[in-house]
Amino acid sequence: KMKIIYATIFLPAAAAFVATSTPWRIPATFLQSSPFDEFLGNIFGKDEDKDKSRNKDSDIINDEEINISSFQQELTKRQQQQPQQELETDIDNAITDANKEEEEEEEFDGYMMRDAIYNKFGECFDVDFNKVDSYGFRSVYLNIMPFRLGGKRFRHETELDYLCHLQAVVEILQKYDQLDYVLAQLDETTKKPRAGTSPLIAVPLRLDLTEEQVNQIMG
């Protein structure tokens, strides 16, 4: 009889209480990780951290390798360019030196002497060395003679002969370092060769020579 009373009274009441009460929830304590879960998390979690760290280190190493490779390539490029640049610089310097030498070697010649005489007097006069003895001293002058190119008394048959003569005179002046001295006198003189006088008037340009040099020129 007690069992029947329990089944008929208490079970329906308990069912009604459960139906009217709040929904059943799992206690929070049941959701907390166990020590075993923490143990596994520590193992696998550390492995993940190690993988991430390795990836970062790998990226850094790769970046360093790229930077080193780029540096080596740039260094090799510049080393290859440097000899070329040095060669180009040497070539430029050689060309500059050659140009300077050509300018320096553009020596005064017979054509230039003809032009200097013409620019001064307006005529292409003949020139010749003349020895003068005075008071026991011997001197040499380069005389601008009053005989012009194309004149009757001009001793050179052609202009080419005249230019060859002027070239020989220039070479003698250069040999004894008298060219600049003679050209300076030519520029400064106010005299002019004259053929219609007696004696003829020549324009003397003195050479500054030793006695030995005088004898070498005049013989």
Side-chain angles (χ1 to χ4, degrees):
K1 294 181 178 179
M2 290 297 295
K3 292 179 179 179
I4 295 171
I5 294 171
Y6 177 80
T8 59
I9 297 175
F10 290 102
L11 288 178
F17 175 78
V18 171
T20 58
S21 63
T22 58
W24 182 77
R25 296 179 181 178
I26 298 175
T29 55
F30 290 166
L31 299 176
Q32 294 178 354
S33 61
S34 66
F36 182 71
D37 292 334
E38 293 179 358
F39 174 73
L40 293 177
N42 289 335
I43 293 175
F44 292 104
K46 288 181 180 179
D47 290 339
E48 292 178 356
D49 293 339
K50 289 180 180 179
D51 292 338
K52 292 179 180 179
S53 177
R54 288 173 182 173
N55 291 334
K56 290 181 180 179
D57 294 339
S58 177
D59 292 340
I60 293 172
I61 292 172
N62 290 335
D63 291 339
E64 290 179 351
E65 289 178 352
I66 291 173
N67 291 335
I68 292 173
S69 177
S70 300
F71 171 75
Q72 290 175 344
Q73 291 177 359
E74 182 65 20
L75 181 60
T76 302
K77 181 180 178 181
R78 293 190 179 186
Q79 288 175 345
Q80 292 174 349
Q81 290 177 348
Q82 186 175 2
Q84 181 66 23
Q85 292 175 350
E86 292 178 354
L87 178 61
E88 291 176 355
T89 301
D90 293 340
I91 292 173
D92 292 338
N93 292 335
I95 292 173
T96 301
D97 293 340
N99 291 334
K100 288 182 179 179
E101 290 178 359
E102 286 180 1
E103 291 177 356
E104 292 177 355
E105 291 177 357
E106 189 178 355
E107 297 179 351
F108 197 90
D109 58 11
Y111 286 93
M112 294 181 180
M113 177 63 80
R114 179 201 61 185
D115 293 341
I117 295 171
Y118 181 83
N119 292 335
K120 180 64 177 182
F121 303 113
E123 296 284 355
C124 294
F125 288 119
D126 194 8
V127 299
D128 206 357
F129 291 107
N130 184 37
K131 179 178 63 174
V132 176
D133 293 320
S134 177
Y135 301 103
F137 296 98
R138 176 175 292 182
S139 301
V140 173
Y141 292 83
L142 179 65
N143 285 347
I144 309 297
M145 308 296 291
F147 308 123
R148 61 181 178 82
L149 177 64
K152 292 182 179 181
R153 301 180 64 181
F154 196 69
R155 61 176 174 168
H156 305 290
E157 295 183 0
T158 65
E159 183 176 6
L160 180 59
D161 293 336
Y162 172 56
L163 289 171
C164 290
H165 173 69
L166 292 180
Q167 181 64 37
V169 170
V170 167
E171 290 177 2
I172 292 173
L173 295 176
Q174 288 174 335
K175 179 179 179 180
Y176 295 98
D177 196 23
Q178 297 295 302
L179 179 61
D180 292 338
Y181 183 48
V182 167
L183 292 176
Q185 294 179 73
L186 177 63
D187 183 62
E188 294 172 358
T189 186
T190 58
K191 298 179 180 180
K192 186 175 180 179
R194 295 182 182 275
T197 61
S198 182
L200 301 176
I201 298 177
V203 177
L205 305 175
R206 185 178 181 276
L207 277 64
D208 187 12
L209 302 171
T210 64
E211 184 176 357
E212 181 180 358
Q213 291 173 336
V214 170
N215 293 330
Q216 290 174 351
I217 293 175
M218 302 306 298

